[in-house]
Every structure is written in C-alpha cells, then in structure tokens.
Amino acid sequence: MSNTDNKKTILVLGATGKQGGQVISELLAEDSNFSIRALSRNPESASAKSLTARGVQVFKGDLDVADGLQQALTGVDSAFLVTLPDLKDHQKEATRGIRFVDEAKKANISHLIFTSVEDADKNTGVPHFETKWAIEKHIREVGIPWTILRPVAFMDNFTPNPSTANFVGFGVFSTLLGDHSLHWVHTRDIGRAAVRAIKNPTEYRGKIVPLAGDVQTFDGVLDAYEKVHGYRPWKAYVPNWAAKWLPQEFTKMFQFFREKGYSTDVAACRKADPHMYTVEKWLAENKK
C-alpha cells in the first residue's frame, strides 16, 4: 500500500525512547520520501510536541489498547516495533508486542521491523530475552513480512560524559560483569539498520540482523573513557553481596553475560556496516 503522493508511511513505536528516537532521526535525515508517524500515550506531552515540530504525525495510543493501534496503523507501509520489559510482570511485554503484531497483520502492512535482542532464541533464562523470543515466534506464525534486528548491550545506557548515573552504573557493571567481555552497540546503529530495512524491503524481508559494533571487558570500556576524556572515571564500590538487592531480571542477565555471553560475530557486523560505532568512537563523537 502507498500514499497518493508516493511517500511511504512509516509508524515508529518508542519514538521518544533510545531506539525509536534514533529511527525517527535517521528517517528525518534521509529525505522527504517518508511520512512518519509515532505513537504516544499523551500527544500533548513535551516529548510528543517536539516530534510534531519535527514533522512527525503523533497518534494517541499505546500497546495496551488495540483501538489506538488500529487508527495509527491505517495506511501504513512499514512499522518499527520496540517493546520494553515490565519488571513486575514479564508476560506483559510479550502480550503487548503480540497485540501490535496482530493489529499490524489486520492492517495489512507490507513490512514489520522488530528490534529483539541477540540470542533471544538460545534459552538464556533472561526473562526479557524470552519475551522478545515469544514475539519473534508470533511474527513468524501470523505470516507478516518481517525483519528482526538483534542488538546487544547498549553503550549509550551510560552517558558519554561524566555523570552520577555513570558512577553508580560503572560500579554495578564492574562487579557483576567481572573480567568477562561483553558485546556493545550504539542505538544509532539500530536506527540506521532499521532505516536500511525500510528502504530496501526486498533485501531485508525474512532476515535476522545481528547488531554489535564492539566487544570489550568493562575495564576496556573504562580505558576508552580514559583515552577520550584524559582521565579514568570513578566508579562506585558495589560488593558482590549487594547483587541480591538488584531486580532478578538484572542478576539473571549478568549471569548470562558471565556464563555464555552474546554469540554475535562482531567482525561480520562491522563488515556488513563499516560505520558501526565502537565505544571509543561513540565517546569521542559526544565529548563535551
């Protein structure tokens, strides 16, 4: 399906978050061949109004209610779906994602891009990996044309410059990850991959796209901060016993990181996209 002005209509979920926000930015940077929609619980919020000011059409709705999804999906060519974990009820993430897939199927969209997580299909024991795998399976079952993006840990869950959040987060990662390596990706690379899939549907339909631009121990991450900023950042002291106070979701995830780790072939990812970010490149680009 297409619009009379030959623009492709793209619906982006999570448009004010890290991943959806990057998809919006990359689409807007491309050209005028896209009509971009976003979904918001509150279209009058400051974040929603900022999207409107950038030329994005904001629809009222969320993944808990089918009615708003139907309106937002009417006339859509491609959709970008991202789901967030619910730490109180893991099943909610799967329910919400499946609801969107069903509504997208009813709307007869020609391409669904779902951002999952690497190794979602490997019985990791991590609840929010398993809920994303449930959504992936449902996408295949309903027969909607799809592309699955499978990113790893987000480097930009930290701030690129010194912050209190980093001080605490560095301590948690350092203690729970130990000296194990971890695969990292910048969410901009997720946005860029999504836009490549949107622009080249024939090439990307039915394709799983792993996304990892770097592999580093946490000491290696701190080395990159030191190289870019000229000093090694401080980190909070987090004893091992303190891990029991963290949500079980996180302790299971770090257990997976330590015992198995992501299986992504970083060299292959960088060959497919030579512009992918390393931790150092991300820091240098955002240094203040």
Side-chain angles (χ1 to χ4, degrees), residues 4 77 83 103 121 147 157 168 189 192 205 229 237 248:
T4 56
D77 294 282
T83 58
E103 294 305 318
D121 57 338
T147 300
N157 275 339
V168 176
D189 286 328
R192 292 171 59 246
R205 283 193 192 105
H229 288 285
Y237 171 67
Q248 193 176 48

Side-chain angles (χ1 to χ4, degrees), residues 69-99:
L69 298 179
Q70 292 168 359
Q71 184 180 10
L73 280 162
T74 300
V76 163
D77 294 282
S78 301
F80 173 82
L81 171 64
V82 57
T83 58
L84 298 178
D86 188 309
L87 299 183
K88 294 181 180 179
D89 183 353
H90 299 301
Q91 185 55 36
K92 279 187 177 180
E93 180 180 11
T95 300
R96 289 164 176 160
I98 287 169
R99 178 178 291 114

Side-chain angles (χ1 to χ4, degrees), residues 18-27 29-30 80 113 149 185-200 204 209 211 213 269-270 272-278 281 285:
K18 285 186 174 68
Q19 297 184 65
Q22 293 286 2
V23 175
I24 293 282
S25 294
E26 295 300 322
L27 284 170
E30 280 288 326
F80 173 82
I113 298 95
L149 307 182
V185 68
H186 181 14
T187 52
R188 184 180 181 190
D189 286 328
I190 301 173
R192 292 171 59 246
V195 172
R196 287 197 299 273
I198 290 167
K199 292 178 65 179
N200 305 284
Y204 280 89
V209 184
L211 294 169
C269 290
R270 297 192 63 80
D273 179 7
H275 301 291
M276 290 195 81
Y277 282 79
T278 62
K281 176 184 175 182
E285 190 172 287

Side-chain angles (χ1 to χ4, degrees), residues 2-284:
S2 60
N3 295 327
T4 56
D5 59 1
N6 294 319
K7 285 188 176 183
K8 281 189 173 182
T9 299
I10 315 298
L11 174 62
V12 179
L13 272 70
T16 59
K18 285 186 174 68
Q19 297 184 65
Q22 293 286 2
V23 175
I24 293 282
S25 294
E26 295 300 322
L27 284 170
L28 290 172
E30 280 288 326
D31 49 43
S32 59
N33 290 328
F34 299 114
S35 175
I36 308 170
R37 297 180 182 179
L39 200 68
S40 174
R41 286 188 176 90
N42 180 14
E44 298 303 314
S45 67
S47 56
K49 286 184 175 180
S50 70
L51 289 173
T52 302
R54 298 168 70 190
V56 177
Q57 187 179 11
V58 179
F59 283 74
K60 181 177 176 60
D62 61 60
L63 292 177
D64 287 319
V65 183
D67 289 347
L69 298 179
Q70 292 168 359
Q71 184 180 10
L73 280 162
T74 300
V76 163
D77 294 282
S78 301
F80 173 82
L81 171 64
V82 57
T83 58
L84 298 178
D86 188 309
L87 299 183
K88 294 181 180 179
D89 183 353
H90 299 301
Q91 185 55 36
K92 279 187 177 180
E93 180 180 11
T95 300
R96 289 164 176 160
I98 287 169
R99 178 178 291 114
F100 182 84
V101 173
D102 288 342
E103 294 305 318
K105 175 67 174 178
K106 290 178 187 176
N108 198 33
I109 71 166
S110 61
H111 195 189
L112 173 65
I113 298 95
F114 173 53
T115 178
S116 180
V117 63
E118 181 66 307
D119 297 308
D121 57 338
K122 299 289 179 61
N123 296 314
T124 62
V126 183
H128 73 274
F129 287 28
E130 293 176 350
T131 51
K132 288 179 172 60
W133 175 233
I135 298 167
E136 282 197 36
K137 289 190 291 183
H138 190 71
I139 289 170
R140 292 170 174 83
E141 287 167 2
V142 300
I144 193 169
W146 55 267
T147 300
I148 305 294
L149 307 182
R150 286 190 177 172
V152 292
F154 300 166
M155 56 186 71
D156 43 331
N157 275 339
F158 302 111
T159 64
N161 295 283
S163 69
T164 302
N166 277 358
F167 176 70
V168 176
F170 287 171
V172 171
F173 263 77
S174 183
T175 296
L176 296 186
L177 189 60
D179 59 359
H180 296 272
S181 294
L182 184 61
H183 294 74
W184 302 90
V185 68
H186 181 14
T187 52
R188 184 180 181 190
D189 286 328
I190 301 173
R192 292 171 59 246
V195 172
R196 287 197 299 273
I198 290 167
K199 292 178 65 179
N200 305 284
T202 302
E203 178 184 351
Y204 280 89
R205 283 193 192 105
K207 186 175 182 180
I208 295 173
V209 184
L211 294 169
D214 204 352
V215 55
Q216 296 282 352
T217 63
F218 202 69
D219 274 346
V221 171
L222 296 182
D223 289 343
Y225 273 87
E226 184 173 12
K227 185 172 182 179
V228 171
H229 288 285
Y231 61 90
R232 198 168 189 80
W234 287 15
K235 61 184 180 181
Y237 171 67
V238 179
N240 283 305
W241 57 262
K244 68 179 182 180
W245 300 108
L246 293 171
Q248 193 176 48
E249 179 85 18
F250 293 104
T251 56
K252 286 185 176 181
M253 182 175 66
F254 277 100
Q255 182 180 357
F256 165 72
F257 289 161
R258 292 191 306 269
E259 295 179 359
K260 296 180 180 178
Y262 291 116
S263 62
T264 327
D265 185 338
V266 176
C269 290
R270 297 192 63 80
K271 183 177 181 180
D273 179 7
H275 301 291
M276 290 195 81
Y277 282 79
T278 62
V279 174
E280 185 178 329
K281 176 184 175 182
W282 164 65
L283 292 171

